[in-house]
Amino acid sequence: MGNLSSATEFCLLGFHGSQEVHHILFATFFFFYSVTLMGNTVIIVIVCVDKRLQSPMYFFLGHLSFLEILITTIIVPMMLQGLLVPGLQTIILTACVTQLFLYLSVGTTEFVLMAVMAVDRYVAVCNPLRYNIIMNSHTCTWLVIVSWVFGFLSEIWPVYATFQFTYCKSNVVDHFFCERGQLLKLSCDDTLLTEFILFLMAVFIIIGSLIPTIVSYTYIISTILKIPSASGRRKAFSTCASHFTFVVIGYGSCLFLYVKPKQTQAAEYNKIVSLLVSVVTPFLNPFIFTLRNDKVKEALREGVKRCCQFLKV
């Protein structure tokens, strides 16, 4: 592609390799995407219909599952299309801006919500007698609303700043979606200051939401260790284990992707970490929150029994 002074569309390079490799990747990612949609949808449904799961913990889990569906749907369908169709995949500027904005906004919302879930677990373990008073339905609703509003408002300027540059080097993005770092590589302007500001914003959002999580789990672990019986400690820790596992995976991958001074990292590095964020983590979410949660497993078993009884009738 020739040099463009003002790109109106971009070409996504996607994954390297032969068409056979692309077909294998398509089958793999399609399986991951299908399981992600089904698993997270099941969690949302059982949280809504099962009375035993009508608590703040599962209310937040339902929203987290919805966010996981969104973040993988923003990326994966277009990625699958690129794997099936030979050649470069074209995306118009408006679609590129929209995809990047939604991806970053949903991701930021998820970070805030994970911090909210950590505080919820802190109140449940460290202040159980006041839990229902502190984490009432009004408070939970407002915490979710704030998470969504902050997530979407905080990414307006970063996306706007990304597309203010002149893309004159090329319009070929070495990625499977409109990833910010690879877009900045195509600019012939000086992006150093903007990249540093984006780095500071990433630090504020990711580290800022990680701090209440770390503080909450410090108090949680301290409280659990003071419980005299081993069964009591296991029961208390089991209410936090799923969320803690998800936090480690989610924050670990995003720290490598976004908290770095230079956004224009190597393309292959960005692709691998982006796959962790947009494909692997949403895929693991249903397993993390069902296999380690007795209430969810019980609700699932009863749901399956009801479905079988309905089909027999």
Side-chain angles (χ1 to χ4, degrees):
M1 301 294 291
N3 288 350
L4 301 175
S5 58
S6 181
T8 56
E9 63 180 26
F10 294 95
C11 296
L12 303 178
L13 196 58
F15 296 93
H16 302 293
S18 63
Q19 198 62 32
E20 289 75 15
V21 173
H22 283 191
H23 289 160
I24 294 172
L25 290 175
F26 174 86
T28 303
F29 295 144
F30 181 77
F31 170 75
F32 273 56
Y33 182 56
S34 301
V35 174
T36 298
L37 291 184
M38 289 188 293
N40 285 287
T41 301
V42 166
I43 288 178
I44 294 170
V45 171
I46 63 172
V47 165
C48 291
V49 301
D50 197 296
K51 292 182 180 180
R52 289 165 300 183
L53 304 182
Q54 303 299 310
S55 67
M57 174 183 174
Y58 299 105
F59 175 71
F60 296 136
L61 175 58
H63 281 272
L64 181 65
S65 295
F66 182 62
L67 286 168
E68 294 289 71
I69 291 174
L70 283 181
I71 202 164
T72 194
T73 301
I74 291 165
I75 302 299
V76 175
M78 183 172 288
M79 180 179 70
L80 293 176
Q81 182 186 355
L83 288 169
L84 275 186
V85 180
L88 296 178
Q89 185 179 20
T90 302
I91 179 171
I92 61 173
L93 178 62
T94 306
C96 189
V97 174
T98 303
Q99 185 186 50
L100 181 60
F101 175 70
L102 290 176
Y103 177 74
L104 294 176
S105 299
V106 171
T108 302
T109 303
E110 193 169 299
F111 281 124
V112 180
L113 189 61
M114 283 195 286
V116 169
M117 292 176 74
V119 174
D120 170 70
R121 292 298 83 207
Y122 159 75
V123 178
V125 174
C126 301
N127 295 282
L129 299 179
R130 300 181 60 199
Y131 180 68
N132 291 328
I133 299 173
I134 297 173
M135 302 302 294
N136 57 62
S137 59
H138 181 76
T139 301
C140 293
T141 301
W142 272 107
L143 286 172
V144 169
I145 292 173
V146 169
S147 300
W148 281 89
V149 171
F150 176 80
F152 277 75
L153 290 182
S154 64
E155 294 300 336
I156 292 176
W157 184 87
V159 174
Y160 171 80
T162 300
F163 289 96
Q164 286 304 297
F165 295 110
T166 303
Y167 294 98
C168 59
K169 291 180 181 179
S170 172
N171 68 338
V172 179
V173 181
D174 191 4
H175 215 286
F176 52 81
F177 78 104
C178 287
E179 200 272 330
R180 183 167 61 196
Q182 300 308 307
L183 284 168
L184 292 175
K185 273 187 175 182
L186 305 180
S187 175
C188 47
D189 299 327
D190 184 7
T191 63
L192 191 61
L193 177 60
T194 300
E195 287 185 53
F196 182 68
I197 296 174
L198 294 174
F199 163 72
L200 293 179
M201 292 187 70
V203 170
F204 173 76
I205 292 169
I206 298 178
I207 304 299
S209 61
L210 184 59
I211 288 173
T213 303
I214 293 173
V215 172
S216 295
Y217 273 102
T218 301
Y219 281 104
I220 288 170
I221 293 170
S222 175
T223 302
I224 289 175
L225 292 176
K226 292 177 184 177
I227 298 175
S229 66
S231 60
R233 288 195 295 270
R234 280 196 301 271
K235 184 178 179 181
F237 185 74
S238 66
T239 64
C240 310
S242 299
H243 176 257
F244 183 76
T245 304
F246 188 82
V247 164
V248 171
I249 296 172
Y251 278 101
S253 55
C254 287
L255 282 170
F256 282 108
L257 185 60
Y258 294 112
V259 183
K260 54 184 188 293
K262 193 164 181 60
Q263 296 289 309
T264 54
Q265 196 78 12
E268 296 306 316
Y269 171 91
N270 275 2
K271 287 179 186 178
I272 292 171
V273 183
S274 295
L275 284 173
L276 287 174
V277 174
S278 60
V279 178
V280 178
T281 304
F283 169 78
L284 293 176
N285 180 53
F287 299 102
I288 293 171
F289 284 99
T290 56
L291 296 178
R292 300 185 65 91
N293 191 301
D294 292 332
K295 281 190 177 181
V296 175
K297 284 191 287 187
E298 190 177 343
L300 282 173
R301 280 194 294 267
E302 290 199 6
V304 171
K305 286 181 182 177
R306 289 177 186 175
C307 289
C308 292
Q309 291 172 356
F310 177 78
L311 291 174
K312 287 179 181 179
V313 174

